[in-house]
Amino acid sequence: MSSRIVVVGGGTAGARLAERLPVTLLGEEPHAPYNRVLLADVLAGRYGPEVIALPRPAGEPARRGVRVTGIDRAARVVHCGDGSTVAYDRLVLATGSNPVLPPLRGLGHGRLPAGVHAFRTLDDCLALDGLVRPGVRAVVIGGGLLGVSAARALATRGAEVVLAQQGEHLMERQLDPEAAELLRRHLVSLGVEVHTECRVRGLKVTSGAVAAVELADGFVLDADVVVLACGVRPRTGLAVAAGLDVRRGIVVDDRLRTSDPYVHAVGDCAEHDGRLYGLAGAALEQADVLADVLTGGTAAYRGTRALTRLSMDALELAAFGEAVPRPGDDTVRLTDATRSAYRKVVVRGDRLVGGVLVGDLGPVGTLARAWEGDEALPDAPLLHLLTHDGGS
């Protein structure tokens, strides 16, 4: 008799497993699995929601709108919010992550005020789509990859956009200050007003709807729409309640097993070797490894080296590894201010450990392969490595 594999979560990791294996996929969202990476393009009007749908499951169709409320590990059964139960031989938690809601005055602890939305799900995207029109005043709180993408999408729709970033520069996790400055200039050229080192104190809410955003320095930004893009936090509630080992995420080994050998975890909710990824590339790689494991293979997950790419009309951006050098590292930079182009690599010993490219991404394929392979660099000058067009 074939093993009953139940997957909780219809995001990138869960949908990939369902594409590879016959599973029972329980998705909390009412929509078929979709590519979350492309939500900003849906908001910008480039794609319709149907375009970002992921491949259909290999087995039975995904069960949509099913919220799993508990796990009985002894009986190997999951309990659902509609009162039904689903038995499993192997359970996979692909519960993803929740948006972080900052502790702002006026935000409340329950339902968000009208006009205030996170930007994490297709429902968030569709709700924002219904609010955005030319001239609408929109404030995006958070200048990471998600916030930058949302700001660009809203500006494309004709909104008057302010981007408020608490850190010193945009996309601090991926970019160095020089690359972030080029990104800032590009956003400004699109009509986005960018504020860095800007702390938001609260929201002004009138008759249940947002009216303004209050900054810590006392300045007030009028707002019809507020987008919260302040990061994500792994969804671990089911695992905690079931008594699984949870730190920041659900702890898994190289075979993506939790502390219960019959329960696995993949994607944003999984913590491997002390690391959370929160990246689509890592979720896909983990799902592929687990598909092999669940079919008797010998694959093992050793971590993911993920490249971040962002296309913003006339601006192309790629970043990988450590963009900020340590003492003793070698760094090479090439800057062309007239073309808004910037390239930088960081080398430690004979290993490429990071890089940032803005503008022409010609060398990104060569650089990414050298970094992902973690192999000794050839005896070519760093300048040649940085300027070689190896294709992307």
Short mmCIF file of all heavy atoms in Angstrom, two decimals, residues 169 172-179 320-333 342-349 351-356 382:
data_model
loop_
_atom_site.label_atom_id
_atom_site.label_comp_id
_atom_site.label_asym_id
_atom_site.label_seq_id
_atom_site.Cartn_x
_atom_site.Cartn_y
_atom_site.Cartn_z
N HIS A 169 19.62 52.26 4.67
CA HIS A 169 19.40 52.26 3.22
C HIS A 169 18.44 51.14 2.85
O HIS A 169 18.11 50.28 3.66
CB HIS A 169 20.73 52.14 2.46
CG HIS A 169 21.48 50.86 2.70
ND1 HIS A 169 22.55 50.78 3.54
CD2 HIS A 169 21.32 49.61 2.18
CE1 HIS A 169 23.03 49.53 3.54
NE2 HIS A 169 22.29 48.81 2.73
N GLU A 172 18.58 46.42 3.01
CA GLU A 172 19.81 46.27 3.79
C GLU A 172 20.33 44.84 3.82
O GLU A 172 21.54 44.62 3.95
CB GLU A 172 19.58 46.76 5.22
CG GLU A 172 19.50 48.26 5.34
CD GLU A 172 19.39 48.71 6.78
OE1 GLU A 172 18.52 48.16 7.50
OE2 GLU A 172 20.16 49.59 7.19
N ARG A 173 19.46 43.85 3.73
CA ARG A 173 19.90 42.45 3.79
C ARG A 173 20.67 42.04 2.54
O ARG A 173 21.48 41.11 2.58
CB ARG A 173 18.70 41.52 3.98
CG ARG A 173 18.04 41.61 5.34
CD ARG A 173 16.92 40.61 5.47
NE ARG A 173 17.37 39.23 5.28
CZ ARG A 173 16.56 38.18 5.26
NH1 ARG A 173 15.25 38.36 5.41
NH2 ARG A 173 17.04 36.97 5.09
N GLN A 174 20.39 42.70 1.41
CA GLN A 174 21.00 42.28 0.15
C GLN A 174 22.02 43.27 -0.41
O GLN A 174 22.97 42.86 -1.08
CB GLN A 174 19.91 42.07 -0.92
CG GLN A 174 18.98 40.92 -0.66
CD GLN A 174 17.76 41.34 0.16
OE1 GLN A 174 17.53 42.52 0.39
NE2 GLN A 174 16.96 40.37 0.59
N LEU A 175 21.82 44.56 -0.19
CA LEU A 175 22.60 45.58 -0.89
C LEU A 175 23.57 46.31 0.02
O LEU A 175 23.35 46.44 1.22
CB LEU A 175 21.67 46.60 -1.54
CG LEU A 175 20.61 46.07 -2.51
CD1 LEU A 175 19.83 47.24 -3.12
CD2 LEU A 175 21.23 45.21 -3.60
N ASP A 176 24.63 46.83 -0.58
CA ASP A 176 25.51 47.75 0.13
C ASP A 176 25.00 49.17 -0.13
O ASP A 176 24.09 49.38 -0.95
CB ASP A 176 26.96 47.57 -0.32
CG ASP A 176 27.18 47.88 -1.79
OD1 ASP A 176 26.22 48.29 -2.48
OD2 ASP A 176 28.33 47.70 -2.26
N PRO A 177 25.54 50.18 0.56
CA PRO A 177 25.00 51.55 0.41
C PRO A 177 25.05 52.08 -1.02
O PRO A 177 24.14 52.79 -1.45
CB PRO A 177 25.88 52.37 1.35
CG PRO A 177 26.33 51.41 2.40
CD PRO A 177 26.52 50.11 1.67
N GLU A 178 26.10 51.75 -1.77
CA GLU A 178 26.22 52.28 -3.13
C GLU A 178 25.12 51.74 -4.04
O GLU A 178 24.48 52.49 -4.78
CB GLU A 178 27.60 51.93 -3.71
CG GLU A 178 28.76 52.63 -3.03
CD GLU A 178 29.28 51.89 -1.80
OE1 GLU A 178 28.62 50.94 -1.34
OE2 GLU A 178 30.35 52.28 -1.30
N ALA A 179 24.89 50.44 -3.98
CA ALA A 179 23.83 49.85 -4.80
C ALA A 179 22.46 50.36 -4.35
O ALA A 179 21.58 50.62 -5.17
CB ALA A 179 23.89 48.34 -4.72
N PHE A 320 23.99 38.51 -4.12
CA PHE A 320 24.17 37.17 -3.56
C PHE A 320 25.25 37.23 -2.49
O PHE A 320 26.16 38.06 -2.51
CB PHE A 320 24.56 36.16 -4.64
CG PHE A 320 25.81 36.51 -5.40
CD1 PHE A 320 27.05 36.06 -4.99
CD2 PHE A 320 25.73 37.31 -6.53
CE1 PHE A 320 28.20 36.39 -5.68
CE2 PHE A 320 26.89 37.64 -7.24
CZ PHE A 320 28.12 37.18 -6.82
N GLY A 321 25.13 36.35 -1.51
CA GLY A 321 26.16 36.20 -0.49
C GLY A 321 26.35 37.44 0.37
O GLY A 321 25.41 38.19 0.66
N GLU A 322 27.58 37.69 0.77
CA GLU A 322 27.93 38.78 1.67
C GLU A 322 28.36 40.00 0.87
O GLU A 322 29.42 40.01 0.25
CB GLU A 322 29.06 38.34 2.60
CG GLU A 322 28.74 37.12 3.46
CD GLU A 322 29.93 36.68 4.30
OE1 GLU A 322 30.66 37.55 4.81
OE2 GLU A 322 30.15 35.46 4.42
N ALA A 323 27.53 41.03 0.90
CA ALA A 323 27.85 42.25 0.14
C ALA A 323 28.83 43.14 0.89
O ALA A 323 29.49 43.99 0.28
CB ALA A 323 26.57 43.02 -0.16
N VAL A 324 28.92 42.97 2.20
CA VAL A 324 29.82 43.81 3.01
C VAL A 324 31.05 43.00 3.37
O VAL A 324 30.95 41.94 4.00
CB VAL A 324 29.11 44.29 4.29
CG1 VAL A 324 30.06 45.13 5.14
CG2 VAL A 324 27.85 45.10 3.94
N PRO A 325 32.25 43.46 2.96
CA PRO A 325 33.47 42.67 3.21
C PRO A 325 33.88 42.68 4.67
O PRO A 325 33.56 43.61 5.43
CB PRO A 325 34.52 43.38 2.35
CG PRO A 325 34.02 44.78 2.23
CD PRO A 325 32.53 44.69 2.21
N ARG A 326 34.59 41.63 5.07
CA ARG A 326 35.23 41.56 6.37
C ARG A 326 36.67 42.03 6.25
O ARG A 326 37.21 42.11 5.13
CB ARG A 326 35.21 40.12 6.89
CG ARG A 326 33.85 39.50 7.09
CD ARG A 326 34.01 38.07 7.59
NE ARG A 326 32.74 37.34 7.62
CZ ARG A 326 32.65 36.05 7.91
NH1 ARG A 326 33.75 35.34 8.18
NH2 ARG A 326 31.47 35.44 7.92
N PRO A 327 37.32 42.35 7.37
CA PRO A 327 38.74 42.71 7.30
C PRO A 327 39.55 41.60 6.62
O PRO A 327 39.38 40.43 6.93
CB PRO A 327 39.14 42.88 8.77
CG PRO A 327 37.87 43.26 9.46
CD PRO A 327 36.79 42.49 8.74
N GLY A 328 40.38 41.97 5.67
CA GLY A 328 41.20 41.00 4.95
C GLY A 328 40.61 40.53 3.65
O GLY A 328 41.30 39.88 2.85
N ASP A 329 39.32 40.80 3.40
CA ASP A 329 38.70 40.42 2.14
C ASP A 329 39.20 41.33 1.01
O ASP A 329 39.57 42.49 1.24
CB ASP A 329 37.17 40.53 2.21
CG ASP A 329 36.55 39.47 3.09
OD1 ASP A 329 37.25 38.50 3.43
OD2 ASP A 329 35.35 39.61 3.43
N ASP A 330 39.17 40.81 -0.19
CA ASP A 330 39.46 41.60 -1.38
C ASP A 330 38.15 42.03 -2.02
O ASP A 330 37.20 41.23 -2.13
CB ASP A 330 40.26 40.78 -2.40
CG ASP A 330 41.66 40.47 -1.92
OD1 ASP A 330 42.33 41.39 -1.41
OD2 ASP A 330 42.08 39.31 -2.04
N THR A 331 38.08 43.30 -2.42
CA THR A 331 36.86 43.84 -3.02
C THR A 331 37.20 44.58 -4.30
O THR A 331 38.16 45.34 -4.35
CB THR A 331 36.16 44.82 -2.05
OG1 THR A 331 35.92 44.17 -0.81
CG2 THR A 331 34.84 45.30 -2.63
N VAL A 332 36.41 44.32 -5.32
CA VAL A 332 36.56 45.05 -6.58
C VAL A 332 35.22 45.68 -6.92
O VAL A 332 34.18 45.02 -6.87
CB VAL A 332 37.01 44.12 -7.73
CG1 VAL A 332 37.02 44.88 -9.05
CG2 VAL A 332 38.38 43.56 -7.44
N ARG A 333 35.26 46.98 -7.27
CA ARG A 333 34.05 47.70 -7.66
C ARG A 333 34.24 48.34 -9.02
O ARG A 333 35.32 48.85 -9.33
CB ARG A 333 33.72 48.82 -6.66
CG ARG A 333 33.27 48.39 -5.29
CD ARG A 333 32.92 49.63 -4.47
NE ARG A 333 32.46 49.30 -3.13
CZ ARG A 333 33.25 49.12 -2.09
NH1 ARG A 333 34.57 49.21 -2.23
NH2 ARG A 333 32.75 48.83 -0.91
N TYR A 342 26.54 49.44 -11.59
CA TYR A 342 27.43 49.22 -10.45
C TYR A 342 27.66 47.73 -10.31
O TYR A 342 26.72 46.92 -10.39
CB TYR A 342 26.76 49.77 -9.18
CG TYR A 342 27.50 49.50 -7.89
CD1 TYR A 342 28.64 50.22 -7.55
CD2 TYR A 342 27.03 48.54 -6.99
CE1 TYR A 342 29.31 49.99 -6.35
CE2 TYR A 342 27.68 48.31 -5.79
CZ TYR A 342 28.82 49.04 -5.48
OH TYR A 342 29.47 48.80 -4.29
N ARG A 343 28.92 47.34 -10.16
CA ARG A 343 29.27 45.95 -9.96
C ARG A 343 30.29 45.85 -8.84
O ARG A 343 31.24 46.63 -8.78
CB ARG A 343 29.86 45.33 -11.24
CG ARG A 343 28.92 45.28 -12.41
CD ARG A 343 29.61 44.72 -13.65
NE ARG A 343 28.71 44.68 -14.79
CZ ARG A 343 29.07 44.27 -16.00
NH1 ARG A 343 30.31 43.83 -16.21
NH2 ARG A 343 28.20 44.26 -16.99
N LYS A 344 30.10 44.85 -8.00
CA LYS A 344 31.00 44.66 -6.87
C LYS A 344 31.06 43.19 -6.53
O LYS A 344 30.04 42.50 -6.52
CB LYS A 344 30.51 45.45 -5.66
CG LYS A 344 31.21 45.12 -4.34
CD LYS A 344 30.53 45.85 -3.19
CE LYS A 344 31.03 45.40 -1.85
NZ LYS A 344 30.35 46.09 -0.75
N VAL A 345 32.27 42.68 -6.26
CA VAL A 345 32.43 41.33 -5.75
C VAL A 345 33.33 41.36 -4.53
O VAL A 345 34.21 42.22 -4.39
CB VAL A 345 33.03 40.36 -6.80
CG1 VAL A 345 32.05 40.12 -7.92
CG2 VAL A 345 34.36 40.86 -7.33
N VAL A 346 33.08 40.42 -3.62
CA VAL A 346 33.87 40.26 -2.40
C VAL A 346 34.50 38.87 -2.44
O VAL A 346 33.79 37.88 -2.62
CB VAL A 346 33.00 40.43 -1.14
CG1 VAL A 346 33.85 40.25 0.12
CG2 VAL A 346 32.33 41.80 -1.13
N VAL A 347 35.83 38.81 -2.29
CA VAL A 347 36.56 37.55 -2.34
C VAL A 347 37.31 37.35 -1.04
O VAL A 347 37.97 38.27 -0.53
CB VAL A 347 37.54 37.53 -3.53
CG1 VAL A 347 38.37 36.25 -3.52
CG2 VAL A 347 36.79 37.66 -4.85
N ARG A 348 37.19 36.15 -0.48
CA ARG A 348 37.87 35.78 0.76
C ARG A 348 38.82 34.62 0.45
O ARG A 348 38.38 33.52 0.15
CB ARG A 348 36.85 35.41 1.82
CG ARG A 348 37.42 35.12 3.21
CD ARG A 348 36.28 35.02 4.23
NE ARG A 348 35.47 36.23 4.23
CZ ARG A 348 34.15 36.27 4.38
NH1 ARG A 348 33.47 35.14 4.55
NH2 ARG A 348 33.50 37.43 4.36
N GLY A 349 40.11 34.91 0.49
CA GLY A 349 41.07 33.89 0.09
C GLY A 349 40.93 33.63 -1.39
O GLY A 349 41.10 34.54 -2.21
N ARG A 351 38.00 32.25 -2.57
CA ARG A 351 36.57 31.98 -2.72
C ARG A 351 35.79 33.28 -2.92
O ARG A 351 36.02 34.27 -2.21
CB ARG A 351 36.00 31.26 -1.50
CG ARG A 351 36.59 29.88 -1.22
CD ARG A 351 36.19 28.89 -2.31
NE ARG A 351 36.34 27.51 -1.92
CZ ARG A 351 37.47 26.81 -2.02
NH1 ARG A 351 38.57 27.39 -2.49
NH2 ARG A 351 37.51 25.53 -1.66
N LEU A 352 34.86 33.25 -3.86
CA LEU A 352 33.93 34.35 -4.03
C LEU A 352 32.84 34.22 -2.96
O LEU A 352 32.18 33.18 -2.88
CB LEU A 352 33.30 34.28 -5.42
CG LEU A 352 32.29 35.38 -5.79
CD1 LEU A 352 32.97 36.74 -5.82
CD2 LEU A 352 31.66 35.06 -7.15
N VAL A 353 32.66 35.25 -2.13
CA VAL A 353 31.70 35.14 -1.02
C VAL A 353 30.49 36.05 -1.18
O VAL A 353 29.55 35.95 -0.40
CB VAL A 353 32.39 35.42 0.33
CG1 VAL A 353 33.44 34.38 0.63
CG2 VAL A 353 32.97 36.82 0.39
N GLY A 354 30.51 36.95 -2.16
CA GLY A 354 29.35 37.80 -2.34
C GLY A 354 29.52 38.76 -3.49
O GLY A 354 30.62 38.95 -4.01
N GLY A 355 28.40 39.36 -3.89
CA GLY A 355 28.45 40.32 -4.97
C GLY A 355 27.15 41.06 -5.13
O GLY A 355 26.10 40.60 -4.68
N VAL A 356 27.24 42.23 -5.75
CA VAL A 356 26.07 43.06 -6.05
C VAL A 356 26.25 43.62 -7.45
O VAL A 356 27.33 44.11 -7.80
CB VAL A 356 25.91 44.23 -5.06
CG1 VAL A 356 24.69 45.06 -5.42
CG2 VAL A 356 25.80 43.74 -3.63
N LEU A 382 40.60 39.55 -10.64
CA LEU A 382 39.22 39.80 -10.22
C LEU A 382 38.49 40.69 -11.21
O LEU A 382 37.30 40.53 -11.44
CB LEU A 382 39.20 40.44 -8.83
CG LEU A 382 39.58 39.55 -7.66
CD1 LEU A 382 39.54 40.37 -6.38
CD2 LEU A 382 38.64 38.38 -7.55
#
